[in-house]
Amino acid sequence: MDIDFPLVLVVLTLATGLIWLLDLLVLRKRRAASAPAHEAADGTEPAAAKEPYLVDLSRSFFPVLAIVLVLRSFLVEPFQIPSGSMLPTLEVGDFILVNKYAYGLRLPVAGTKVIEMDDPARGEVVVFRYPEDGRTNYIKRVVGLPGDHVRYRGKELFINGDLVDTQFVARLPPMELRRETLGETVHDVFLTLGRPAGSGEGEWTVPDGHYFMMGDNRDNSNDSRYWGTVPDELIVGKAFAIWMHWESLTSLPSFDRVGAIE
């Protein structure tokens, strides 16, 4: 069962905050009023004045939860790459950082945008929620902007009738490495050698308020070619850095891939 961590974080923050506030405004005064006027003979605090365990727990955890909630909701959120759809840019096990305010500040859980910022630009790597369930986080590269006409034919990408500039780099069986220029972004893509060109072919017009996403591992990516465009309200943020690589619990963390995401 998938756990909705943002929702859990919001609920825990609200619960601990309300308990702490209730104690400050009401419960603490009642304990003080009901406590004996003198200390116990052994010098310990009277039992009636002791802070309840739940209040003590809430007072300790609320500031930490509140800070985490603000950081991951409005500033930066960490994600782990679970699949190879963004190879060679991102590998399975990469831990990345996502800028949560680049495309506007959104309310946690609800996702409602409250402050407008920049729009996603062509070539940027973006985390978004899968349009077919609205929950699962996906990461792809922005290829088509609102109003664009996108065509993918013969393993070549066309935007508004223009062939996207792609240069051959190397053959790395079973892959071919190419260098592609999308907008102001220059990045590498993989094409599978021997894979029929018909996979993922088609033409699409991007609706207003939507974006066309594709993985850099072009022949091994479940993206907008198969399930359509991504509406702006499902955008989570802009992926901007790799901070660690840790493929599995049986391996050791590595920091060899630390750096900016192009």
Side-chain angles (χ1 to χ4, degrees), residues 192-206:
T192 303
L193 295 171
R195 179 73 61 86
S199 178
E201 290 191 335
E203 297 187 30
W204 307 265
T205 297
V206 185

Side-chain angles (χ1 to χ4, degrees), residues 16-201:
T16 54
L18 288 174
I19 291 172
W20 189 17
L21 182 62
L22 180 63
D23 182 67
L24 285 174
L25 298 179
V26 179
L27 301 181
R28 184 173 298 180
K29 295 178 182 178
R30 290 182 180 177
R31 289 198 306 274
S34 63
H38 59 279
E39 289 186 342
D42 60 359
T44 60
E45 187 179 10
K50 286 184 177 179
E51 190 172 67
Y53 175 74
L54 185 58
V55 172
D56 179 59
L57 197 67
S58 297
R59 179 172 54 80
S60 300
F61 278 96
F62 172 70
V64 177
L65 291 171
I67 291 173
V68 172
L69 177 63
V70 170
L71 286 176
R72 78 185 306 276
S73 297
F74 302 114
L75 298 177
V76 175
E77 184 174 359
F79 288 89
Q80 183 184 14
I81 303 301
S83 74
S85 70
M86 282 296 291
L87 286 168
T89 305
L90 297 172
E91 297 181 2
V92 175
D94 282 346
F95 282 75
I96 64 170
L97 296 176
V98 174
N99 184 325
K100 298 297 290 288
Y101 59 85
Y103 305 135
L105 295 181
R106 300 176 185 269
L107 295 177
V109 181
T112 304
K113 188 181 292 186
V114 292
I115 299 179
E116 296 285 345
M117 301 289 280
D118 294 333
D119 293 324
R122 197 187 321 279
E124 292 179 339
V125 178
V126 170
V127 171
F128 56 91
R129 295 193 297 276
Y130 183 38
E132 294 194 356
D133 65 17
R135 294 183 306 157
T136 307
N137 289 314
Y138 270 46
I139 183 167
K140 306 292 179 187
R141 193 176 297 276
V142 178
V143 169
L145 303 177
D148 280 349
H149 181 267
V150 178
R151 178 159 61 99
Y152 191 70
R153 192 80 62 191
K155 300 196 178 187
E156 292 185 323
L157 178 62
F158 298 80
I159 299 176
N160 298 324
D162 296 327
L163 177 63
V164 172
D165 181 32
T166 306
Q167 304 295 325
F168 171 83
V169 176
R171 292 174 68 89
L172 306 170
M175 299 294 186
E176 178 177 291
L177 180 65
R178 294 185 183 181
R179 189 148 296 153
E180 182 177 82
T181 302
L182 274 175
E184 298 181 357
T185 303
V186 179
H187 62 280
D188 291 338
V189 299
F190 271 158
L191 298 175
T192 303
L193 295 171
R195 179 73 61 86
S199 178
E201 290 191 335

